[in-house]
Amino acid sequence: NAGVTQTPKFQVLKTGQSMTLQCAQDMNHNSMYWYRQDPGMGLRLIYYSASEGTTDKGEVPNGYNVSRLNKREFSLRLESAAPSQTSVYFCASSEEGPGALLYGYTFGSGTRLTVV
Amino acid sequence: AQSVTQLDSQVPVFEEAPVELRCNYSSSVSVYLFWYVQYPNQGLQLLLKYLSGSTLVKGINGFEAEFNKSQTSFHLRKPSVHISDTAEYFCAVSDLNDMRFGAGTRLTVKP
């Protein structure tokens, strides 16, 4: 019962370095999401993909890019990391669209990223 | 756009005491409300949801929440908490197109 799998779990980057956070789900969900979680601010949506082949910006997309590689995988790329991107990143998926009423979202366990 | 305000950032409580975690929302359209729980070093899990019908909804682990349209609130309650309920709790609102989360309430249950 894997659900949503994120890699890596921890990462330290230097300012200006790039990296890709990986996310895969095995529930055949159509929609996938990337959130960042910061103290006192809750979860903020970075990007989402309502279906395979589509991606859209969320609340805080600046400094990030995404790729919906196939139905299972949705990656988040930081091209030039900045200290302001230090955060915990969560990937989520849902059977329904972004409103996800009936079943809610299924979340991965997160990636803790520190940019120094 | 809808938004969610969780009124308490931290709630300490003793084991077996009752607890209420407060959530207020704003929205110009019909709303659908959720509570999620995040245990340490884990992702969020759905605790309960209000879509329509009875304003009192029951979730997992003995939690319940009441939707109050006039007060635009969706407070989470449990009559008797356990140590294992220590976690962060997030209220969320959906308008069919977007899910917005509150800042979270850290519940700490002390022995």
Side-chain angles (χ1 to χ4, degrees):
Chain A
N1 56 347
V4 177
T5 302
Q6 291 182 237
T7 55
K9 292 191 183 303
F10 302 94
Q11 185 71 49
V12 178
L13 288 179
K14 294 182 179 178
T15 298
Q17 286 186 316
S18 62
M19 80 161 294
T20 299
L21 281 64
Q22 307 287 353
C23 175
Q25 52 93 6
D26 62 1
M27 297 168 288
N28 203 36
H29 284 174
N30 289 315
S31 301
M32 298 185 73
Y33 315 84
W34 276 105
Y35 283 88
R36 60 178 289 173
Q37 182 182 27
D38 300 293
M41 304 190 75
L43 277 78
R44 292 180 293 168
L45 183 64
I46 305 171
Y47 271 93
Y48 68 98
S49 171
S51 61
E52 186 179 356
T54 69
T55 61
D56 286 285
K57 295 178 180 179
E59 274 182 271
V60 289
N62 291 344
Y64 304 96
N65 285 299
V66 291
S67 296
R68 184 75 184 265
L69 304 170
N70 47 55
K71 192 170 186 179
R72 290 187 63 249
E73 298 172 286
F74 187 40
S75 63
L76 178 72
R77 183 161 178 83
L78 286 71
E79 291 291 351
S80 179
S84 61
Q85 294 179 304
T86 293
S87 187
V88 181
Y89 291 85
F90 285 99
C91 178
S93 68
S94 67
E95 184 168 333
E96 315 143 272
L101 298 189
L102 295 182
Y103 305 110
Y105 291 175
T106 301
F107 283 84
S109 57
T111 296
R112 190 172 295 274
L113 176 67
T114 302
V115 183
V116 297
Chain B
Q2 73 273 24
S3 66
V4 173
T5 302
Q6 291 185 242
L7 299 168
D8 307 292
S9 60
Q10 297 187 59
V11 173
V13 65
F14 286 105
E15 194 174 18
E16 297 184 6
V19 71
E20 178 179 81
L21 307 183
R22 298 180 293 167
C23 172
N24 286 99
Y25 68 90
S26 67
S27 177
S28 58
V29 297
S30 297
V31 293
Y32 308 92
L33 297 155
F34 304 78
W35 276 98
Y36 283 81
V37 58
Q38 183 183 29
Y39 298 106
N41 300 314
Q42 295 185 28
L44 281 71
Q45 303 173 34
L46 183 63
L47 198 56
L48 51 78
K49 60 181 181 285
Y50 171 78
L51 304 182
S52 64
S54 173
T55 56
L56 184 65
V57 292
K58 295 187 184 298
I60 59 173
N61 299 337
F63 282 93
E64 62 182 32
E66 185 162 17
F67 171 61
N68 188 318
K69 189 174 182 179
S70 63
Q71 297 189 6
T72 61
S73 68
F74 190 55
H75 300 335
L76 180 71
R77 301 185 182 104
K78 186 169 183 178
S80 175
V81 294
H82 302 287
I83 297 288
S84 60
D85 292 324
T86 293
E88 188 141 19
Y89 292 79
F90 292 91
C91 184
V93 60
S94 169
D95 65 355
L96 297 180
N97 295 309
D98 187 20
M99 180 87 74
R100 291 292 177 109
F101 291 84
T105 297
R106 182 169 298 279
L107 174 65
T108 303
V109 181
K110 300 179 286 186

